[in-house]
Amino acid sequence: MTGVWVLLGVLVLGGIAGALMRARNGRIRAAKPGAPTLPGRVSGALAPEGVTLVQISTTFCAPCRHTRAILSALADKTDGLTHVDLDVTETPEVAQALSVLRTPTTLALTPDGREVFRVGGVPRGQELLEALRPHLANA
C-alpha cells in the first residue's frame, strides 16, 4: 500500500512541476535592473536603430528552430525590428555573460545594448509584438 501512495505522490508532484513549466514557457519578463555588459559577439550584432531580437539557441534544440521561424517572420514584416540568432554551442561564455539558463531564450535589445525584456522558451508572436510596440514607436 505504501508503494501506491509513493506513486500517487510522484505523479501529483510531476503534474504540478509540468504545469509550472508550461505556464512559464514563452512568458515575457521585464529586464532586471543593472543588466550585464554585453559580450562583443552580441553588441556587434545589434541593429543601429530599432530593436534587435537576439535569440540564444543551441544546435540540437527543436524549440529553437520553431522560435527562429517565429522571430524571422516577425522581423521581416515589422519595421525597426531585427532578428539575430546566436548559437552558443561553441561559445557558452555568451550564455553565461547574459545569464541565460535555457534555450531558446530571446532578448529584446536597444541599439545601445539595453535589455528591454527577455522570453524563455518559444515566444508567442502576437504577445511579443504587443510588448515591442512602445519600443518600436521610438525607432
Side-chain angles (χ1 to χ4, degrees):
M1 189 67 173
T2 303
V4 172
W5 287 110
V6 169
L7 177 63
L8 184 61
V10 167
L11 290 174
V12 168
L13 288 175
I16 291 170
L20 287 173
M21 287 184 70
R22 175 171 259 165
R24 290 190 64 181
N25 190 37
R27 189 178 71 193
I28 297 172
R29 295 183 319 231
K32 294 178 182 176
T37 304
L38 296 177
R41 185 171 177 197
V42 176
S43 59
L46 296 178
E49 44 186 60
V51 176
T52 303
L53 296 175
V54 178
Q55 176 186 344
I56 307 297
S57 57
T58 54
T59 305
F60 299 105
C61 168
C64 295
R65 289 189 291 272
H66 188 65
T67 299
R68 186 177 305 114
I70 291 170
L71 297 180
S72 293
L74 198 62
D76 287 344
K77 68 179 183 179
T78 307
D79 290 334
L81 188 61
T82 306
H83 171 240
V84 175
D85 185 9
L86 293 179
D87 187 336
V88 293
T89 304
E90 300 289 325
T91 55
E93 62 274 3
V94 171
Q96 184 178 10
L98 296 173
S99 301
V100 172
L101 300 176
R102 67 182 282 197
T103 58
T105 294
T106 304
L107 306 172
L109 301 171
T110 60
D112 62 352
R114 184 177 53 86
E115 182 179 327
V116 177
F117 60 81
R118 67 174 53 202
V119 181
V122 179
R124 296 171 188 94
Q126 196 58 35
E127 288 179 19
L128 190 61
L129 194 56
E130 289 300 317
L132 285 167
R133 279 198 203 287
H135 305 286
L136 292 175
N138 299 336

